[in-house]
Amino acid sequence: MKKSIQKHVFLDHAATTPVHPDVLETMMPFFGSHYGNPSSFYGLGRKAHQAIEKARGKVAALIGAEPGEIIFTSGGTEADNLAIQGIAFANVHRGRHIITSAIEHPAVLNVCSHLKQRGFSVTQLPVDSYGNVNAADVKEAIRNDTILITIMHANNEIGSLQPIKEIGTIAKECGIIFHTDAVQSIGKIPVNVRELKVDLMSISSHKIYGPKGIGALWVKSGTRIAPLLYGGRQEMNLRPGTENVPAIVGFGKASEISMAMLNDDITSHLHHLRDRLEQSIAERIPSARINGHPQKRIAHISSISFKSLESLSIIANLDVHGIYASGGAACTTGKIESSHVLAAMNIPPETASGTVRFSLGFENTEQDVDHAIDILTKTVNRLHAFYQQTPNETGMITFHEVEHAAEAEQILQDAHFPFALIATPHHIKQVYCCHVALEHHFVDKDRILRLLGKNGVEFAGTYTNGSSLMDNSPNPA
Ligand code: PLP
């Protein structure tokens, strides 16, 4: 038996976006006939150089900057590293104090931790219960030896928008360099470096329908900054190495497309879909908690906590139905780490651990959102019902493929067995199986295995709760 999985609904645009077909088309010649090194003097090299400069102009236009202020990097992470370390080391004679916030991306938080070990001092500002930094706190934290403020524009987990313009004004008054990580905001809302009063801005291509592995740091001209790497003279002496020409060209095209989308008011489309998603979840799952401020939040990110449930299990259920969303926290190879953002907002751990992040893109439709809500509602109801009536002893069945879990779900649902699809516990995944498992009442084990066997559903192994020992029994006839 094969259950056909419906069309995928991708609701994880804060993690990455599909490469736009026009971006791919623009990149292709640079993998083929346009293979020159941009530093070469002859025609082939000049063509590559011109393509890079054209892309630089488009990236600059997206954020209201001058092309000569754009430094291409390998992505948002490198841009954050270059900004923070580059400013710290170039300005160490002025002081060693850096101000940041508790909800930054690890690409900022971990660089600050590294600098702390190298003798810098870092003030990490708190956020309110909506995940917003208070600009007055920034002012209060400024010291005589403060050389850098680094605060993100839109948070990647909950979408909270920070008062960048206000902080920028404070930074200007005090003569302090101000960096913002705008990886999540560009292409979703209008972003202008001059209006925001920043000195450096990190951006990344793969969040705006461009290729992965390319990003940029905007550095206001005249800003004193040191490189991270030493080598050739590329990228205004700030980022040596032969340029990744196809990726830069793709980033340029993606920026141009993003500009056109902003002109077509993509922000309203994202807002509309997000409001539909949140209103519908609030109506159908009243126990759900929507995180973040109703207004001070980016249009495309919705973080929702489902109390007493595990976010990985919710995500696994959505995955079985072709709906792709993320844990509210950093999700590394199937393990959810507790979220420093939700913790900073004082969300209790038992609520935070059931948090799912939905993030929308231009290609999403109302139908996508409605379909996702239907599946989500069924998932949450089933998980709650199963855990409410479950006896102490449960069993678990693992599968090699998600499709097999989907088949089992359909069969057990039709046969009215109590069960829940869950994320395969980490210790079990050491044995080859997929990330979706099925939990059932232990007393039903034999009947369930017989039923699955009769329907030809393959499974990887069976477990009793609390036991890590696998009974790798073949399917019963
Ligand atoms: N900053 C923020 C806010 C992000 O969301 C991300 C990626 O998720 C990054 C930085 C890192 O960007 P990249 O994946 O291009 O290294």
Side-chain angles (χ1 to χ4, degrees):
M1 174 189 165
K2 275 266 170 285
K3 185 188 175 199
S4 64
I5 290 193
Q6 304 160 48
K7 155 184 164 305
H8 292 161
V9 176
F10 187 74
L11 299 179
D12 202 13
H13 292 80
T16 197
T17 54
V19 173
H20 193 289
D22 294 350
V23 169
L24 193 59
E25 197 186 314
T26 311
M27 291 170 71
M28 287 314 276
F30 294 88
F31 289 110
S33 55
H34 302 358
Y35 58 85
N37 184 326
S39 300
S40 298
F41 177 70
Y42 44 79
L44 205 56
R46 280 206 307 276
K47 202 174 186 101
H49 176 76
Q50 281 160 5
I52 287 184
E53 293 318 309
K54 201 168 148 193
R56 201 186 301 282
K58 290 176 181 177
V59 172
L62 179 63
I63 56 170
E66 291 299 320
E69 299 171 319
I70 297 288
I71 313 298
F72 286 116
T73 63
S74 65
T77 301
E78 189 189 324
D80 284 340
N81 270 268
L82 177 58
I84 299 168
Q85 298 196 64
I87 292 297
F89 291 124
N91 294 277
V92 71
H93 58 284
R94 295 174 51 212
R96 287 180 164 261
H97 180 230
I98 297 169
I99 299 172
T100 188
S101 85
I103 57 158
E104 299 297 310
H105 189 273
V108 168
L109 283 182
N110 291 339
V111 182
C112 288
S113 303
H114 169 71
L115 287 179
K116 247 170 132 171
Q117 287 166 3
R118 309 229 7 214
F120 287 82
S121 116
V122 177
T123 299
Q124 208 178 79
L125 298 175
V127 289
D128 62 19
S129 59
Y130 291 121
N132 295 104
V133 172
N134 182 348
D137 290 348
V138 178
K139 194 166 190 171
E140 217 164 276
I142 291 173
R143 309 190 320 210
N144 286 339
D145 60 342
T146 306
I147 50 168
L148 173 69
I149 300 168
T150 172
I151 294 191
M152 71 197 320
H153 192 194
N155 178 266
N156 48 299
E157 288 187 28
I158 52 159
S160 57
L161 276 168
Q162 307 311 326
I164 297 302
K165 211 167 160 173
E166 266 176 273
I167 299 170
T169 307
I170 295 167
K172 290 273 146 326
E173 280 166 14
C174 301
I176 297 167
I177 300 170
F178 181 27
H179 163 248
T180 192
D181 174 336
V183 166
Q184 290 294 344
S185 55
I186 56 157
K188 310 299 184 306
I189 54 172
V191 172
N192 183 298
V193 290
R194 316 274 170 208
E195 278 173 20
L196 289 176
K197 300 184 190 302
V198 293
D199 300 296
L200 302 107
M201 178 181 282
S202 302
I203 57 178
S204 177
S205 147
H206 73 108
K207 314 287 185 180
I208 59 162
Y209 303 92
K212 294 169 182 56
I214 186 78
L217 180 67
W218 169 75
V219 185
K220 193 171 82 182
S221 62
T223 308
R224 198 184 172 110
I225 180 166
L228 293 182
L229 304 174
Y230 293 87
R233 302 173 61 86
Q234 291 94 342
E235 297 301 301
M236 298 60 150
N237 284 330
L238 274 173
R239 213 288 188 156
T242 303
E243 298 87 338
N244 185 347
V245 185
I248 291 174
V249 167
F251 188 15
K253 185 68 187 175
S255 300
E256 182 186 309
I257 292 170
S258 288
M259 279 275 274
M261 284 184 193
L262 286 166
N263 289 336
D264 279 353
D265 203 7
I266 175 76
T267 314
S268 296
H269 172 69
L270 297 172
H271 258 301
H272 168 71
L273 292 183
R274 194 194 66 189
D275 289 350
R276 188 180 181 93
L277 178 99
E278 292 185 350
Q279 276 161 16
S280 188
I281 291 177
E283 277 162 27
R284 295 176 65 179
I285 313 172
S287 60
R289 175 202 152 115
I290 295 164
N291 300 313
H293 194 277
Q295 280 89 42
K296 294 181 206 162
R297 201 147 50 98
I298 191 98
H300 70 300
I301 296 180
S302 186
S303 162
I304 306 189
S305 299
F306 301 93
K307 206 173 170 191
S308 315
L309 297 181
E310 281 298 323
S311 59
L312 268 184
S313 286
I314 300 173
I315 294 163
N317 277 270
L318 297 178
D319 183 12
V320 163
H321 293 271
I323 296 160
Y324 300 142
S326 271
C331 178
T332 357
T333 55
K335 230 180 165 181
I336 294 263
E337 289 161 16
S338 61
S339 157
H340 65 285
V341 178
L342 300 175
M345 292 162 68
N346 275 329
I347 294 181
E350 64 276 16
T351 305
S353 62
T355 302
V356 178
R357 178 188 69 185
F358 298 96
S359 48
L360 301 150
F362 83 92
E363 73 280 24
N364 287 135
T365 61
E366 288 185 350
Q367 285 81 359
D368 288 347
V369 167
D370 294 349
H371 176 54
I373 292 163
D374 278 345
I375 303 293
L376 177 73
T377 309
K378 283 183 192 142
T379 296
V380 170
N381 290 343
R382 166 161 306 131
L383 286 167
H384 275 312
F386 183 75
Y387 290 117
Q388 264 159 24
Q389 45 160 275
T390 273
N392 282 338
E393 219 180 2
T394 61
M396 201 188 302
I397 300 172
T398 57
F399 303 91
H400 291 129
E401 307 291 341
V402 173
E403 286 74 12
H404 301 154
E407 290 166 15
E409 179 187 47
Q410 188 65 56
I411 291 164
L412 296 198
Q413 200 169 281
D414 293 347
H416 303 291
F417 274 102
F419 76 97
L421 290 184
I422 57 164
T424 309
H426 207 64
H427 65 281
I428 289 178
K429 271 202 269 171
Q430 290 156 4
V431 180
Y432 170 63
C433 60
C434 75
H435 54 282
V436 184
L438 189 147
E439 194 172 3
H440 56 81
H441 292 185
F442 187 71
V443 289
D444 293 332
K445 179 181 171 183
D446 292 341
R447 284 190 302 146
I448 287 177
L449 290 181
R450 262 200 305 279
L451 186 60
L452 296 186
K454 206 170 87 189
N455 284 278
V457 179
E458 287 173 34
F459 63 91
T462 63
Y463 300 78
T464 311
N465 67 344
S467 138
S468 59
L469 202 72
M470 193 174 88
D471 153 19
N472 209 355
S473 40
N475 284 357

